Amino acid sequence: MLFIKEESEDLKIENVFSLKHEETEEQTEKEEREDVKIEETLRVKHEETEEQTEKEESEDLKIEETLRVKDEETEEQTGLRPRTFLALVPENPEDSDADLSDDDPVDDPDYLPTPAEESGDTSFDSMDEEEVASTSSSSKPPSKKKRRMGKNSLKTVSLAELQETPEPSPPDGKEGRRRLWRHEDIETFQVPDSSFNLPDAVKTPFQYFKMLFTDEMITHISEQTNLYAAKELGDPISTSPEEIEKFLAMLLFMGVFSFPAIDDYWCTESRFNVIADIMPRRRFKLLRRYLHFNDNQQCNGSPDRFYKIRPLFDMLRQQCLRISSTYQHSVDEVMVAYKGTRTGSLRQYIANKSDKWGFKLFCRASSSGIIHDFLLYQGASTFFNVALTEQEEALLLGAKLVTTLCKTITLPRLSVVFCDNFFTSFDLVQNLQENLGIRCIGTVRPNRMGGATLKTDKELMKEGRGAFDFMSAEGLLAVKWFDNKCVSLLSSACGITPLSSVKRWSKEAKAKVAVPCPSLIPAYNQHMGGIDLSDMLVHMYKTPAKSRRWYLPLFGYILDLCISNAWLVYKRDCRLLKEALLPLKKFRLAVAHTLAQVNKPASNVGRPSSSSPPQMSSNKKSNTPRPSHPQPDVQYDNFGHLPLHSNKRGRCNLCPKGVSRWKCQKCHVFLCMNAKQECFAAYHQK
């Protein structure tokens, strides 16, 4: 019985398989019949296409024959025999030959229809390249759509005219350019030595400061402060340019002598007479409260987000552009510290800066550290007052910044600009050389090298420290050099040879060793630090400008920048004339003393000596320090120099052996004033 059951189950399985096999054969026959129908349909369409093509060719022959007959008739009438050969070309030069005879839909995986095309509009051929680019850069992935090729019409053109028509130039984009990179060096550009006019004499620190922070700026601050106070209080605070100069002098002193709070300069326990004697505390705070630099009512609707401080920056920029510079320039960003939240996106963040939060400025400086031009960064409206060409508008942000700052260089054909990898790109270096005649050297990111295929980092690391690779194209050199890590550079000014070397610390030898490098590496290291030098000088004695009003830190930076630029120009003149140089601190103090005293009467703000802190008694006899000489601008200003009789005698400051009881109330020096010696009058005359 078991055997019979197994046979019956096998029969059932065989029946099932046979049924499935029959169904599969039927399905296969159906598919074959459908394929035959499709082939027949395609054959018919192909025959129709051939017939259509033959018709078009016959029509073209008829047109040519008609034109030929007309030409012969015209020649017979005019008696002229020259023949003009004609050709049929598309009316739109961008159409290809394949597009003229192909009207069938084509599968295009990268095609994305425009809204106008979906609505039935056939004006796709008249779209601009920017519109096509914006359409193709949608955040949605492109879907497979049928691209409809519109019928293209023909026109008749003579062969002579067709030969004279220039071939369309390749697009200026990255895809259209095919640069030929070769393993070749470029010629090194010899930068001429910088030469400056020899001054007649070294000026005073106050005169160098006034070259940058002019009387026009001081008058402007005075007027705007009075205007703003009148609007806020209903009555102006009646400040004057002379009082603003005293206010600036106090800020310069505070940058050198830093106290925890402003009130400490006037407190009995910590009174600092150098500052407290210039102006009372309440007056100083009142000026600081209503200090202003622009009229708010005239700035409505302006795209300038720095309008409150813009007039001072514009006036300072004009003065900086007048300073003669070297032929080596550097471009970099500068941060002005500000941690408030009242400015929105104007406040930027840079992690590797000492002042991480603040306002960002892009500056151009010479290799000596003097800043000659700058641009305030305010996002999309940064270039609202800068005229840029279409080619410059297409550049990246860093490239546009460098191009804008380099347009003010006086001798561009002799100059070289250095910048870091935030700015450098192949298009920037090429644009500077072709349009402005300025050569450039800068570190660059790998994706901005213009397609140069250099050795990988691993290959250079295997070769060891100091290994490098280079290629050149279109007069530009791309270099990758391995030091502690790989660094890439682009250059149009300096090549590989002659090879140089730099000193680096070696862990194995436990000493500094010479590491070989291309010649553009030392040139970059030598001339790139101009902005960093200026930033260091500004931060050495920084004006205290912490405030809720965001433009006061920028005003403090203007004041400090004027001091650092003035000191660097003064330093250059001292070297040319080989005279002794004042350090930056004494230079700043000299400017502050002159601002507080020049063309002003002697100050009467000081407290009596009894209010000062008591001095510790000592058995040792103390020597009274000899008073220092006043600044020349104060000594010869012929204002407020009155004789003051003293109970004590002092050594005359002019004649070597004279002793007198008379001293100048403003200069605080003893001077002879009798029938035999008129040192008081002679001392105040040049």
Side-chain angles (χ1 to χ4, degrees):
M1 294 295 293
L2 181 62
F3 181 72
I4 293 172
K5 288 181 180 180
E6 291 177 354
E7 285 184 351
S8 62
E9 290 177 358
D10 293 339
L11 290 174
K12 290 179 180 179
I13 293 171
E14 289 179 0
N15 291 331
V16 172
F17 277 111
S18 63
L19 290 174
K20 289 184 177 180
H21 181 67
E22 291 175 359
E23 292 176 356
T24 304
E25 288 181 350
E26 291 177 358
Q27 184 68 25
T28 305
E29 290 177 357
K30 288 181 181 179
E31 292 177 355
E32 288 179 354
R33 287 195 297 270
E34 291 177 357
D35 293 340
V36 171
K37 290 180 181 180
I38 292 172
E39 290 178 358
E40 183 67 20
T41 303
L42 292 175
R43 186 182 60 78
V44 172
K45 286 185 177 181
H46 182 67
E47 291 176 355
E48 292 176 354
T49 304
E50 289 181 350
E51 291 177 359
Q52 182 69 22
T53 304
E54 290 176 357
K55 287 181 181 180
E56 291 177 355
E57 290 178 354
S58 62
E59 291 177 357
D60 294 341
L61 291 175
K62 289 180 181 179
I63 293 172
E64 290 180 0
E65 182 67 22
T66 304
L67 293 174
R68 186 182 60 79
V69 171
K70 288 183 179 180
D71 290 340
E72 290 178 355
E73 292 176 356
T74 304
E75 289 174 2
E76 290 177 358
Q77 293 176 0
T78 58
L80 300 176
R81 298 302 300 171
R83 295 183 178 182
T84 303
F85 296 95
L86 303 176
L88 292 174
V89 297
E91 284 188 350
N92 187 0
E94 297 179 357
D95 295 335
S96 63
D97 294 338
D99 293 337
L100 294 176
S101 60
D102 188 8
D103 294 337
D104 294 334
V106 180
D107 286 332
D108 189 357
D110 297 328
Y111 177 72
L112 189 64
T114 61
E117 197 172 6
E118 290 180 346
S119 61
D121 191 1
T122 59
S123 61
F124 177 78
D125 293 336
S126 64
M127 290 180 63
D128 297 335
E129 293 180 0
E130 296 180 357
E131 297 177 1
V132 177
S134 63
T135 306
S136 62
S137 60
S138 175
S139 59
K140 297 181 180 180
S143 59
K144 291 187 177 181
K145 295 289 182 179
K146 297 290 184 179
R147 181 176 56 183
R148 295 190 300 271
M149 304 300 297
K151 281 192 175 183
N152 299 296
S153 57
L154 300 175
K155 67 176 181 178
T156 306
V157 180
S158 64
L159 289 181
E161 182 181 350
L162 190 63
Q163 292 175 358
E164 293 175 357
T165 304
E167 295 183 359
S169 58
D172 198 26
K174 296 180 180 179
E175 297 179 358
R177 290 185 178 180
R178 294 182 180 179
R179 301 185 182 93
L180 181 59
W181 290 92
R182 297 179 179 178
H183 193 73
E184 296 179 356
D185 195 4
I186 64 172
E187 185 179 356
T188 300
F189 173 70
Q190 298 295 333
V191 182
D193 295 332
S194 302
S195 59
F196 303 100
N197 296 328
L198 192 67
D200 298 333
V202 177
K203 301 177 183 178
T204 62
F206 178 71
Q207 291 173 335
Y208 284 105
F209 176 76
K210 279 291 186 174
M211 288 170 53
L212 296 164
F213 208 102
T214 60
D215 293 332
E216 180 187 1
M217 297 171 68
I218 295 175
T219 304
H220 178 81
I221 295 173
S222 175
E223 294 174 353
Q224 294 300 324
T225 301
N226 284 327
L227 179 62
Y228 179 69
K231 292 178 180 178
E232 293 293 321
L233 301 175
D235 187 25
I237 58 177
S238 302
T239 186
S240 62
E242 291 76 16
E243 191 176 33
I244 294 297
E245 286 185 345
K246 289 184 177 182
F247 179 80
L248 297 178
M250 298 173 73
L251 292 179
L252 292 178
F253 279 128
M254 291 177 181
V256 179
F257 308 106
S258 179
F259 279 27
I262 291 180
D263 291 342
D264 295 341
Y265 293 102
W266 287 270
C267 286
T268 304
E269 295 80 6
S270 60
R271 178 181 174 81
F272 191 68
N273 294 333
V274 175
I275 294 176
D277 290 348
I278 298 177
M279 187 183 297
R281 176 178 57 183
R282 289 185 179 179
R283 185 63 179 178
F284 176 82
K285 284 190 170 183
L286 185 67
L287 286 176
R288 193 173 186 271
R289 169 63 183 85
Y290 293 102
L291 190 68
H292 220 67
F293 312 103
N294 205 354
D295 187 2
N296 293 336
Q297 293 183 352
Q298 298 180 359
C299 303
N300 295 331
S302 173
D304 185 13
R305 301 176 67 185
F306 288 99
Y307 67 91
K308 286 183 178 291
I309 194 69
R310 178 69 67 177
L312 282 192
F313 271 107
D314 289 342
M315 287 185 276
L316 174 61
R317 180 173 177 265
Q318 294 302 321
Q319 298 304 119
C320 290
L321 289 174
R322 296 179 180 179
I323 303 175
S324 56
S325 66
T326 61
Y327 297 115
Q328 294 89 2
H329 306 264
S330 60
V331 176
D332 206 350
E333 70 269 1
V334 172
M335 291 293 290
V336 179
Y338 178 72
K339 291 186 178 180
T341 58
R342 291 173 170 261
T343 59
S345 59
L346 277 182
R347 186 187 64 162
Q348 300 291 313
Y349 176 80
I350 300 180
N352 59 352
K353 292 287 185 179
S354 57
D355 297 326
K356 294 178 173 54
W357 291 98
F359 304 105
K360 186 188 292 185
L361 286 78
F362 293 97
C363 304
R364 174 177 62 83
S366 56
S367 56
S368 60
I370 301 174
I371 289 183
H372 298 276
D373 199 2
F374 48 80
L375 191 65
L376 296 168
Y377 177 72
Q378 55 181 16
S381 58
T382 300
F383 304 95
F384 76 97
N385 58 348
V386 179
L388 297 175
T389 63
E390 294 182 1
Q391 184 180 0
E392 293 169 350
E393 286 284 357
L395 297 174
L396 299 174
L397 171 64
K400 283 197 288 187
L401 290 168
V402 175
T403 304
T404 303
L405 293 173
C406 289
K407 286 182 178 180
T408 54
I409 295 178
T410 53
L411 296 173
R413 299 288 176 181
L414 304 177
S415 302
V416 179
V417 175
F418 300 84
C419 47
D420 60 19
N421 60 10
F422 177 80
F423 308 93
T424 311
S425 63
F426 190 94
D427 294 335
L428 168 66
V429 180
Q430 193 174 49
N431 180 66
L432 287 178
Q433 187 170 7
E434 292 179 354
N435 298 335
L436 300 179
I438 300 174
R439 291 165 175 82
C440 179
I441 299 176
T443 56
V444 64
R445 298 172 185 176
N447 59 341
R448 298 182 184 175
M449 297 183 66
T453 54
L454 301 174
K455 292 182 180 180
T456 62
D457 294 356
K458 291 184 178 180
E459 291 175 344
L460 292 178
M461 291 171 69
K462 288 181 181 178
E463 295 181 14
R465 200 172 187 180
F468 62 89
D469 188 22
F470 64 94
M471 298 187 77
S472 62
E474 301 178 11
L476 273 65
L477 182 69
V479 182
K480 182 183 284 188
W481 176 61
F482 174 60
D483 186 17
N484 293 323
K485 60 181 181 180
C486 289
V487 57
S488 301
L489 296 96
L490 279 177
S491 171
S492 60
C494 191
I496 298 295
T497 56
L499 292 178
S500 182
S501 63
V502 292
K503 293 290 184 180
R504 294 291 186 268
W505 178 262
S506 174
K507 293 182 179 179
E508 293 79 10
K510 294 183 179 180
K512 286 190 175 182
V513 297
V515 178
C517 64
S519 61
L520 74 164
I521 300 293
Y524 179 84
N525 292 335
Q526 181 181 359
H527 301 293
M528 183 56 196
I531 303 292
D532 295 333
L533 175 59
S534 175
D535 209 22
M536 181 199 70
L537 296 175
V538 166
H539 280 75
M540 285 181 68
Y541 308 103
K542 191 176 178 182
T543 300
K546 189 175 181 180
S547 174
R548 295 179 65 187
R549 289 179 292 164
W550 57 267
Y551 48 89
L552 285 188
L554 289 170
F555 171 68
Y557 176 76
I558 290 176
L559 193 59
D560 295 334
L561 179 61
C562 290
I563 290 291
S564 65
N565 267 12
W567 183 74
L568 290 171
V569 177
Y570 160 76
K571 177 182 177 181
R572 186 172 67 190
D573 290 349
C574 287
R575 288 184 175 178
L576 290 174
L577 297 176
K578 298 180 180 180
E579 294 190 9
L581 176 70
L582 284 176
L584 178 61
K585 183 176 71 174
K586 290 187 177 181
F587 182 90
R588 184 182 178 111
L589 292 176
V591 174
H593 279 293
T594 308
L595 279 172
Q597 298 177 4
V598 68
N599 298 327
K600 302 173 185 68
S603 177
N604 296 321
V605 181
R607 296 185 179 183
S609 58
S610 59
S611 63
S612 60
Q615 300 292 331
M616 298 297 295
S617 60
S618 175
N619 296 328
K620 295 183 179 180
K621 184 179 180 180
S622 59
N623 295 325
T624 303
R626 188 170 183 176
S628 59
H629 289 278
Q631 295 299 319
D633 300 283
V634 178
Q635 180 180 349
Y636 303 119
D637 64 351
N638 296 324
F639 191 91
H641 298 279
L642 301 175
L644 184 66
H645 190 270
S646 176
N647 295 328
K648 297 181 180 181
R649 294 189 303 172
R651 183 74 63 181
C652 179
N653 227 318
L654 186 63
C655 60
K657 296 182 180 181
V659 178
S660 176
R661 292 182 182 273
W662 293 95
K663 64 186 302 185
C664 178
Q665 183 181 7
K666 187 174 183 179
C667 300
H668 302 288
V669 293
F670 285 95
L671 295 166
C672 296
M673 194 171 63
N674 50 51
K676 296 182 180 179
Q677 296 288 340
E678 290 291 340
C679 296
F680 190 92
Y683 181 79
H684 295 99
Q685 296 176 359
K686 287 187 179 180

